Amino acid sequence: MTAVSPLDAASSLQVNGAGPALGSLHVPGDKSISHRAVLMAAMAHGPSVITGLSQGQDVTHTLRAIENFGVVVTDAGEGRVRVEGPIRHEPTNVLDHGNAGTGIRLTSGVAAGIDGISVLTGDQYLRRRPMERIAAPLRMMGAAVDGRERGNFAPLVIRGGGLQGITYAPKEASAQVKSALLLAGLSAKGRTTVEEVHPTRRHSEEMLEQFGARVRVDGRRVSVEPGELTGTDIAVPGDPSQAAFWAVAALLSADEGEIVVEDLYPGFGRSDFVSVLERMGADIDFDLSTGTLTVRASRLRAVELTAEDIPGIVDEVPVLAMAAAVAEGTTVISGAGDLRAKESDRIASTSAMLRAFGVEVTETSDGMVIEGGARLRPARVDSHGDHRIAMTAAVAGACAAEETTVIDGWDSVATSYPRFAEDLMRLTGAAAEAGA
């Protein structure tokens, strides 16, 4: 077995498969919850201690951002961080969010409520992602938001303060838009309400309650009253979106795969990928009382995924598409147009990845049609700077494609799951070697 060497900006990962995925593990702390914990702790009066925090680069950028607001951050290591709020002043520097769409959008909501100017940017991939979806409602609340192409792309410049609560109905389901407005609403005059077209993940609502906010969920309507947050201690559970890669690893592993992932977040909207895999015939169980996911190798069948399914699996589509590639029948994914504005154009990059492995796939404007029953061949895959494409390709290369698969742009994985290659080697016995 080859040890994994340090990664650089032009890194690739070479995986020599195929072998069954066997064993148990803990995945990193939930990235979405981690961003929210850091930002709410920064807004809160008094200290907060966060344990289990994601140690990926995305959340590290959010920690650095709050320090620019005068918040004191003490990192004790191993995902334990003490945050001393509240925010004291406008940021002293440009807020660089790297590749983190959640980070820049939620921080924009915080910045909109602060009297002063904030400048937010990110890497080349983040600067391609649309920001008008948060800029427009924040302007309606009274913030001045500008950026490239009239505020549609970062860098963003936000002059905050003087907000007024609004009722807003986004055209597309987006937990990020909802969360940005709820965070801004804490500093507004009057109630802020978001009316969702489909219910999305409730991380922000749950955590706002933990920090003492007055928040109400009534079906697809979510409201927050203005007010101060109070520092509290937060334990971040494991990230179900990361567990999805190991679930599919077990399912790709002929008749021998079996994976157990422990201590996952069991909340609303985060286990929908489990339901999808059950519909495909997977032998899978998610114990909501313990957060334990157990998956065994299974014969899969095709499934149809529509706009109602997508909000709950928005991060898992690439790896579910790989499961569909080996399933019996034709899988149709539609209503997923928002995936074109993720870390990559995820419809295009997922389709390209599948083709590289020898899968027949037709790309549509808002999804893809995947012909199942493929025997995966070794591939060379471009991650397009997208960690979820990279990790999906690594799982396929280790568990289902014989000989050598190469994933270019492997450094993107550091944004969310820095030790993924090591866990892959341990669970599959595959040799994995990083290089320039």
Side-chain angles (χ1 to χ4, degrees), residues 322-403:
M322 187 59 72
V326 300
E328 181 180 349
T330 301
T331 291
V332 179
I333 301 173
S334 62
D338 195 47
L339 291 177
R340 293 199 180 276
K342 290 294 184 179
E343 286 86 337
S344 65
D345 177 340
R346 234 173 234 168
I347 293 175
S349 57
T350 299
S351 298
M353 172 187 64
L354 293 176
R355 291 189 193 101
F357 280 104
V359 180
E360 185 176 341
V361 55
T362 302
E363 182 181 333
T364 66
S365 61
D366 66 345
M368 61 195 86
V369 179
I370 303 165
E371 299 298 335
R375 180 178 176 85
L376 302 185
R377 68 190 184 200
R380 182 150 201 155
V381 175
D382 183 349
S383 77
H384 297 279
D386 192 326
H387 56 134
R388 300 193 192 280
I389 299 297
M391 289 186 283
T392 298
V395 162
C399 299
E402 296 180 358
E403 300 179 1

Side-chain angles (χ1 to χ4, degrees), residues 92-176:
T92 54
N93 206 340
V94 173
L95 307 178
D96 183 356
H97 284 278
N99 192 239
T102 301
I104 193 171
R105 290 183 176 130
L106 270 60
T107 304
S108 294
V110 175
I114 296 168
D115 186 14
I117 292 178
S118 302
V119 180
L120 302 90
T121 190
D123 66 14
Q124 60 175 321
Y125 302 105
L126 188 61
R127 294 195 302 274
R128 298 175 191 165
R129 300 181 68 176
M131 296 296 156
E132 178 66 17
R133 61 188 60 186
I134 59 162
L138 291 177
R139 290 189 195 108
M140 292 171 60
M141 297 180 74
V145 184
D146 203 356
R148 291 169 43 237
E149 297 191 18
R150 299 182 179 180
N152 193 37
F153 297 103
L156 299 178
V157 180
I158 300 175
R159 181 178 287 278
L163 301 185
Q164 180 68 46
I166 61 171
T167 296
Y168 187 72
K171 294 180 180 179
E172 298 176 334
S174 172
Q176 293 179 3

Side-chain angles (χ1 to χ4, degrees), residues 26-31 52 54-55 237-239 242 416-419 423:
H26 290 80
V27 295
D30 190 283
K31 188 159 66 83
S54 169
Q55 296 180 65
D239 192 333
Q242 309 291 16
S416 64
Y417 200 153
R419 69 168 192 267
D423 283 348

